[in-house]
Amino acid sequence: MDFLETLPPIPWRDRLDEFLTRCEDMPVPAREDAHAMAQSLCTLLRQAPDTVKKRFPLPEDNTLRALVESGSIEQILLMITKPVGIMTSRAPSGYAIATIAVPELEIENSFSSSNSLAHAMTGAIAGAAIGIIAAEGERGSTEG
């Protein structure tokens, strides 16, 4: 069970803040931890307000399931960010950084990880989603 599914009903923005805090508190995630965080992000995005969903759409369920089963977490994250774009970099040491820009909302968010590209991408998406909510306000259902 995903940790987000165990939380009591709270506004989506608060769940997103909690999620980003968990990303930030994970300085050196194991591969399994980074993948679990990416999967949690997918759960959170499924419940997102429309303003976030239009910028970070999830792949179709069959595609998502196949990519998760094959361990292609970075590919899932690339697909999610296709409408806005993402710039990533990974050093030979494992250090990774991901940056997402949403120019029409004047948002640019970067997130880094000492050893995981998936972790950096997940944090960048969550941070950009917070920026989108702040810029446009929550619309639609927030109780997900």
Side-chain angles (χ1 to χ4, degrees), residues 1-9 15 39-40 43-44 46-47:
M1 178 179 286
D2 190 300
F3 87 93
L4 293 171
E5 293 172 0
T6 63
L7 295 174
R15 285 186 271 164
Q39 289 175 338
S40 293
T43 300
L44 192 55
R46 186 170 274 113
Q47 303 162 353

Side-chain angles (χ1 to χ4, degrees), residues 10-64:
I10 57 175
W12 187 83
R13 165 67 194 260
D14 292 345
R15 285 186 271 164
L16 184 61
D17 283 338
E18 169 69 21
F19 178 81
L20 186 56
T21 298
R22 289 178 60 98
C23 284
E24 292 167 344
D25 290 346
M26 191 181 293
V28 184
R31 180 171 171 80
E32 311 80 53
D33 294 334
H35 285 206
M37 291 300 288
Q39 289 175 338
S40 293
L41 177 65
C42 289
T43 300
L44 192 55
L45 290 174
R46 186 170 274 113
Q47 303 162 353
D50 290 342
T51 189
V52 173
K53 284 182 181 178
K54 80 177 185 183
R55 291 181 175 88
F56 299 121
L58 290 173
E60 293 183 21
D61 286 342
N62 290 338
T63 302
L64 186 61

Side-chain angles (χ1 to χ4, degrees), residues 31-113:
R31 180 171 171 80
E32 311 80 53
D33 294 334
H35 285 206
M37 291 300 288
Q39 289 175 338
S40 293
L41 177 65
C42 289
T43 300
L44 192 55
L45 290 174
R46 186 170 274 113
Q47 303 162 353
D50 290 342
T51 189
V52 173
K53 284 182 181 178
K54 80 177 185 183
R55 291 181 175 88
F56 299 121
L58 290 173
E60 293 183 21
D61 286 342
N62 290 338
T63 302
L64 186 61
R65 189 173 11 268
L67 290 169
V68 167
E69 289 172 4
S70 70
S72 302
I73 300 301
E74 289 89 354
Q75 183 63 35
I76 294 167
L77 297 168
L78 284 171
M79 292 174 78
I80 289 170
T81 58
K82 188 174 182 177
V84 295
I86 188 168
M87 183 175 65
T88 62
S89 178
R90 180 173 24 204
S93 66
Y95 179 85
I97 188 165
T99 301
I100 293 176
V102 185
E104 69 272 18
L105 298 177
E106 298 181 11
I107 295 168
E108 183 176 309
N109 188 72
S110 295
F111 195 89
S112 63
S113 176

